[in-house]
């Protein structure tokens, strides 16, 4: 069992912690680090643009890298993780939970996030960072069509870094969804959840599917660059394929970024106007509609492609339609202020500023939703200005969140004078930086030169950028001064706050509560479950009753240890293993090139050694995680609609499967798209043996039967039967892979390689992705057999066998889809 957490002053504490508040702080601090790095790059290229002519600080390659990595860092490594830092810290408190559902997975998600960012930084020093834009358009994302951007190790490393980041997002999404749907305090229905938690819930639902599509796209791109496949190096539809895959992620990402900011605005507007949000249920419905619609508008990013006008018109309608729910939310915020008594604190000023900026960004975005205007504005600084007025408006509200929850996180109050000075400098700098871009809209995007007549506007923008950057120094000084010598914060410093995090101490204790939070009576109460009569001790409506918070703090001081664990060394070890593995993979293309008859060169032995080292570290860490006894905080009494009949871990498995369905759907969809594009009948397919494919289908389906048999044996506590059934599953899976290896070997002997033709690439990559899933399943099965033999596992609790079965059946179903696609059609 994991030991107690070391003190906060110890470095070990931050390496092994799994507590949601610690992980939230790690996310926030790391996101600020990447904000500073991205901001430095932004200042560099803004200074470069001081004069027209492209004769500034940077050469063309340096400029492209600075702009690209700035975009990548801000979109992937700053804004969303920054919001999830607050989500980690605040959401369990607002729900009345002691932690997230899977604390070790929460820590693992953070370490994947950190190490993915370190991979991007390393790319600068290992062959050169990615310079082809954060959107990575095909076919310029492959070296064959972009000689100016060679297949550098740094470029490959950046792609692998984003893949690792998407894995972090997937793990985090499964965790948050399971927590919000299973760990709500008694009496807290979905309708009654705080609006910040609602915004995180919808954000995570969008993340689950949008980032799965991005992961599939990146997997195909990485296979092109490392394995030399032909997905985006083929003539014809490759650019359209990338556009569909990327923007199916890319447009929901706008709302993924902005929804947490909306949640902050809802909370702060209520708190500092002293009034409940007007039209609260309609606002929730509007957010749900936007979350759904966000996946139906991606093609408006592709108006300049060869897509026919009828389809473009349809997506123009959906793009304009998605603005309507936002209109409702904006009017709800404004009307809440009109009816309230506003106090202009620092958090409120940033939230109000975010609303103003977002209105400008939304209105200018409607222009881009019209096909005719998009033809004129696409590829200009109008898009740059609109994009930042939306995305950085979200960041503006999140900065307000720093000030809003700073007293809760640190137990210290900040200086309102410094906070308001920060807002003034920030708001002035922001508008001086981005509004001139609307005026200078004729400046081409992604180009370091522009017309001399636009130079005054670019100089104003550069001055604004410097002021905006300087405003952060005010924030850093204000927060540092507060942390070192600021006055102690009360448990609830805001007079009209309504949510549960203000009903515990500042900062909260390790397990958040001693009594069990409950809303069964219609208001927040703390049930002392250790009391002999099981009675209710103290109640508060969450609106600032100080006595309730003091009573809760007293109970926490006298609390007994409930033996929940908050530390594990394995998440950071797994993250390190993935980091080393991806470092090695970034140079593994040399091995494939050495196999290609038209490419000269010898394989890089160092890359192979690093890759194998990463596999070894990863294997040891995963084995250690599996063997570790870890007791996560539980919530026996909680609201779980609409998943009351599903236990917590099974729900997490189902959420993971839902994400994986999108990954496979995108990869299979890529095959169908390209085959239809080239003509279904004219498309030459790989001629695999239908007989071999049919045999393998029977083998895999039989393995599903043995998994069911294993579950039956576990339920009957029959160790021999369980062991035999799991061993049979393992053997059948190995048989499937053996037959697949024989089939591939025969195809190689016939001169059919994955790097020769597009159809070969699609066959090997799609079936290879499935084989990878089979291999992962077999590793899990092998570990489970080890546990059965060594400690008689799964006899007293058969649920892990059931969870493994869900995954294995999914893998089998995928093969049932792939078999007719590649063997019969």
């Amino acid at each position: 069992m994991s030991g107690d957490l070391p003190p906060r002053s110890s470095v070990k504490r931050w390496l092994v912690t799994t507590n949601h508040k610690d992980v939230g702080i790690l996310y926030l601090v790391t996101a600020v680090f990447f904000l500073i790095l991205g901001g430095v790059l932004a200042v560099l290229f803004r200074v470069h643009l001081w004069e027209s002519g492209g004769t500034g600080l940077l050469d063309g390659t340096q400029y492209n890298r600075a702009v690209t990595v700035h975009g990548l860092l801000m979109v992937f490594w700053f804004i969303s993780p920054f919001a999830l830092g607050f989500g980690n810290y605040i959401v369990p408190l607002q729900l009345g939970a002691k932690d997230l559902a899977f604390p070790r997975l929460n820590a693992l998600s953070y370490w994947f996030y950190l190490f993915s960012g370190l991979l991007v930084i390393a790319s600068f020093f290992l062959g050169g960072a990615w310079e082809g834009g954060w959107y990575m358009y095909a076919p310029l994302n492959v070296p064959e069509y972009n000689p100016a951007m060679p297949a550098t190790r740094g470029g490959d490393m950046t792609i692998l870094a984003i893949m690792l980041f998407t894995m972090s997002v997937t793990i985090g999404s499964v965790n948050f969804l399971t927590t919000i749907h299973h760990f709500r305090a008694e009496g807290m229905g979905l309708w009654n959840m705080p609006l910040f938690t609602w915004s995180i819930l919808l954000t995570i639902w969008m993340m689950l599917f949008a980032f799965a599509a991005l992961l599939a796209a990146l997997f195909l791109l990485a296979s092109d660059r490392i394995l030399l496949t032909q997905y985006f190096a083929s003539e014809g539809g490759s650019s359209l394929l990338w556009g569909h895959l990327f923007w199916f992620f890319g447009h929901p990402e706008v709302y993924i970024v902005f929804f947490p900011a909306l949640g902050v605005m809802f909370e702060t507007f209520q708190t500092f106007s002293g009034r409940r949000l007007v039209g609260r249920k309609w606002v929730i419905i509007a957010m749900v509609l936007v979350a759904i619609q966000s996946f139906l508008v991606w093609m408006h990013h592709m108006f300049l492609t060869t897509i026919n006008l009828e389809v473009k018109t349809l997506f123009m309608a959906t793009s304009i339609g998605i603005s309507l729910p936002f209109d409702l939310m904006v009017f709800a915020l404004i009307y809440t202020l009109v009816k309230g008594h506003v106090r202009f604190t620092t958090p409120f000023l940033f939230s109000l500023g975010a609303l103003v900026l977002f209105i400008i960004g939304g209105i200018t975005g409607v222009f881009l939703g019209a096909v005719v205007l998009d033809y004129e504005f696409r590829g200009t600084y109008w898009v740059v200005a609109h994009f930042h007025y939306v995305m950085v408006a979200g960041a503006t509200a999140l900065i307000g969140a720093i000030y809003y929850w700073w007293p809760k996180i640190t137990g210290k109050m900040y200086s309102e004078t410094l906070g308001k000075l920060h807002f003034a400098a920030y708001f002035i700098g922001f508008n001086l930086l981005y509004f001139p871009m609307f005026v200078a809209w004729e400046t081409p995007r992604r180009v370091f030169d522009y017309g001399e007549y636009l130079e005054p506007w670019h100089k104003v923008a550069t001055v604004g950028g410097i002021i905006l950057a300087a405003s952060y120094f005010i924030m850093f000084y204000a927060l540092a001064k507060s942390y070192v010598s600021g006055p102690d914060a009360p448990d609830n410093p805001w007079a009209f706050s309504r949510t549960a995090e203000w009903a515990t101490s500042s900062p909260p204790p390790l397990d958040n509560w001693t009594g069990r939070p409950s809303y069964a009576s219609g208001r927040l109460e703390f049930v002392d479950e250790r009391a002999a009569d099981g009675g209710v001790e103290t109640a508060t409506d969450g609106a600032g009753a100080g006595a309730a918070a003091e009573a809760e703090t007293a109970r926490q001081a006298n609390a007994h240890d409930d033996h929940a664990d908050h530390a594990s060394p394995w998440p950071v070890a797994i993250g390190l293993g993935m980091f080393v593995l991806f470092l090695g993979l970034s140079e593994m293309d040399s091995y494939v090139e050495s196999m290609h008859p038209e490419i000269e060169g010898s394989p890089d032995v160092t890359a192979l050694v690093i890759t194998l080292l990463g596999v070894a570290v990863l294997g040891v860490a995963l084995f250690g995680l599996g063997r570790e006894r870890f007791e996560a905080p539980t919530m026996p009494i909680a609201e779980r609609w609409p998943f009351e009949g599903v236990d917590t871990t099974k729900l997490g498995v189902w959420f993971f499967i839902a994400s994986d369905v999108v990954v496979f759907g995108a990869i299979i969809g890529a095959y169908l798209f390209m085959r239809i594009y080239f003509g279904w009948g004219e498309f030459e397919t790989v001629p695999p043996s239908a007989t071999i494919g049919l045999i393998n289908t029977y083998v895999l389906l039989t393995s599903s039967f043995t998994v069911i048999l294993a579950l039956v044996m576990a339920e009957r506590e029959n160790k021999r039967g369980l062991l035999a059934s799991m061993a049979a599953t393992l053997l059948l899976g190995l048989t499937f892979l053996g037959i697949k290896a024989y089939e591939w070997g025969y195809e190689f002997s016939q001169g059919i390689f994955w790097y020769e033709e597009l159809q070969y690439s699609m066959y090997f990559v799609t079936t290879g992705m499935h084989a990878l899933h089979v291999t992962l399943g077999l590793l899990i099965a092998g570990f489970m057999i080890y546990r059965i033999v060594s400690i008689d596992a799964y006899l007293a609790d058969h649920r892990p066998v059931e969870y493994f079965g869900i995954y294995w059946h999914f893998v089998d179903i995928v093969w049932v889809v792939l078999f007719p696609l590649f063997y019969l059609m």
Side-chain angles (χ1 to χ4, degrees), residues 1-24:
M1 179 178 289
S2 302
D4 294 332
L5 270 176
R8 286 180 179 269
S9 58
S10 168
V11 173
K12 182 180 178 183
R13 161 77 171 242
W14 301 103
L15 292 175
V16 302
T17 183
T18 63
N19 183 263
H20 75 96
K21 297 181 292 295
D22 290 345
V23 174

Side-chain angles (χ1 to χ4, degrees), residues 532-590:
D533 60 357
V536 174
E537 292 202 350
T538 308
T540 176
D541 61 0
E550 292 173 9
E552 171 61 9
T553 303
R555 283 195 300 276
Q556 290 159 350
N558 298 317
H560 299 291
D561 183 13
D562 63 359
H563 303 295
D565 292 317
H566 296 281
S568 172
W570 300 115
V572 63
I574 295 171
L576 178 62
M578 290 295 290
F579 176 77
V580 176
L581 173 62
F582 278 19
L583 273 178
L585 288 177
S586 66
E587 192 63 17
M588 285 298 289
D589 56 340
S590 62

Side-chain angles (χ1 to χ4, degrees), residues 508-670:
L510 192 61
D511 283 316
N512 298 342
W513 333 91
T514 299
R516 173 173 59 83
S518 172
Y519 290 87
S521 66
R523 60 178 182 171
L524 176 60
E525 299 175 331
F526 293 99
V527 180
D528 188 349
E529 297 177 300
R530 298 184 306 277
D533 60 357
V536 174
E537 292 202 350
T538 308
T540 176
D541 61 0
E550 292 173 9
E552 171 61 9
T553 303
R555 283 195 300 276
Q556 290 159 350
N558 298 317
H560 299 291
D561 183 13
D562 63 359
H563 303 295
D565 292 317
H566 296 281
S568 172
W570 300 115
V572 63
I574 295 171
L576 178 62
M578 290 295 290
F579 176 77
V580 176
L581 173 62
F582 278 19
L583 273 178
L585 288 177
S586 66
E587 192 63 17
M588 285 298 289
D589 56 340
S590 62
Y591 276 85
V592 182
E593 290 175 351
S594 67
M595 298 169 56
H596 201 294
E598 298 179 2
I599 300 178
E600 296 181 0
S602 57
D604 184 352
V605 178
T606 304
L608 180 60
V609 171
I610 294 174
T611 302
L612 293 177
L613 177 62
V615 171
V617 173
L618 188 60
V620 171
L622 287 170
F623 185 74
L625 184 78
R627 292 184 70 249
E628 182 181 47
R629 293 182 60 196
F630 186 91
E631 297 294 332
T634 59
M635 227 172 147
I637 301 175
E639 295 294 330
R640 295 190 169 94
W641 187 89
F643 300 108
E644 298 99 329
V646 185
D647 71 69
T648 301
T649 305
K650 184 191 289 187
L651 185 61
V653 172
W654 278 116
F655 285 139
F656 169 76
I657 295 297
S659 175
D660 216 13
V661 166
V662 177
V663 173
F664 269 110
I667 293 175
I668 295 171

Side-chain angles (χ1 to χ4, degrees), residues 473-520:
F473 287 98
I474 302 174
M475 180 185 77
F476 295 145
Y477 173 74
L479 298 182
K481 183 174 183 293
S482 166
Y483 189 76
V484 172
S485 59
D488 291 339
D491 293 335
N492 182 9
W494 315 123
F496 299 104
S497 58
R498 289 171 163 80
T499 48
E501 72 268 26
W502 304 111
T504 187
S505 61
S506 298
L510 192 61
D511 283 316
N512 298 342
W513 333 91
T514 299
R516 173 173 59 83
S518 172
Y519 290 87

Side-chain angles (χ1 to χ4, degrees), residues 7 54 71 80 91 367 379 402 452 515 554 563 672 719 750 808 825:
S80 290
V91 165
F367 287 68
I402 296 177
E452 189 175 349
H563 303 295
L672 295 174
K719 178 180 178 178
Q750 301 299 307
W808 193 255
M825 294 184 181

Side-chain angles (χ1 to χ4, degrees), residues 83-84 87 91 176 180 196-205 260:
L84 290 180
V91 165
F176 270 99
I180 296 175
F196 178 72
T197 297
W198 254 112
S199 72
I200 293 294
L201 174 62
L202 294 175
T203 298
I204 297 300
W205 270 114

Side-chain angles (χ1 to χ4, degrees), residues 83-273:
L84 290 180
F86 289 112
N88 261 280
Y89 200 104
I90 299 300
V91 165
L93 291 169
Q94 291 193 339
L95 293 175
K98 292 185 177 182
D99 209 319
L100 290 175
F102 310 114
R104 290 187 297 175
L105 289 185
N106 191 33
L108 181 61
S109 176
Y110 166 75
W111 291 112
F112 276 12
Y113 159 59
L114 173 63
F115 282 117
S116 66
L118 295 180
L119 278 172
V120 173
I121 296 173
S123 71
F124 274 100
F125 307 100
L126 296 172
W130 183 262
E131 58 187 88
W134 73 274
Y135 32 76
M136 297 172 282
Y137 281 149
L140 298 179
N141 53 13
V142 290
E144 181 178 345
Y145 285 88
N146 194 354
M149 189 176 67
T152 62
R153 182 180 185 184
D156 294 345
M157 194 178 297
T158 303
I159 295 167
L160 292 170
I162 305 173
M163 290 182 66
L164 186 57
F165 177 80
T166 59
M167 295 177 193
S168 164
V169 168
T170 300
I171 295 170
S173 298
V174 169
N175 209 351
F176 270 99
L177 289 176
T178 306
T179 302
I180 296 175
H181 284 296
H182 251 221
F183 277 33
R184 302 193 305 275
E186 180 186 22
M188 180 183 281
L190 283 176
W191 280 114
N192 300 323
M193 287 195 313
L195 286 170
F196 178 72
T197 297
W198 254 112
S199 72
I200 293 294
L201 174 62
L202 294 175
T203 298
I204 297 300
W205 270 114
M206 289 187 286
M207 278 182 158
L208 186 73
F209 300 121
F211 276 90
L214 177 63
L215 180 59
L218 292 169
F219 181 81
L220 300 182
L221 178 56
S223 72
D224 268 13
R225 294 180 63 90
I226 297 174
L227 301 177
L228 308 184
T229 55
Q230 301 290 309
Y231 273 93
F232 306 112
S234 61
E235 297 180 3
S238 63
S239 59
L240 279 177
L241 173 62
W242 177 262
H244 285 300
L245 289 174
F246 182 83
W247 289 117
F248 188 79
F249 148 80
H251 200 81
E253 170 66 3
V254 174
Y255 307 107
I256 287 169
V257 166
F258 196 73
F259 263 39
L262 268 176
V264 172
M265 292 159 67
F266 293 145
E267 297 289 355
T268 52
F269 273 50
Q270 290 183 126
T271 296
F272 298 113
S273 69

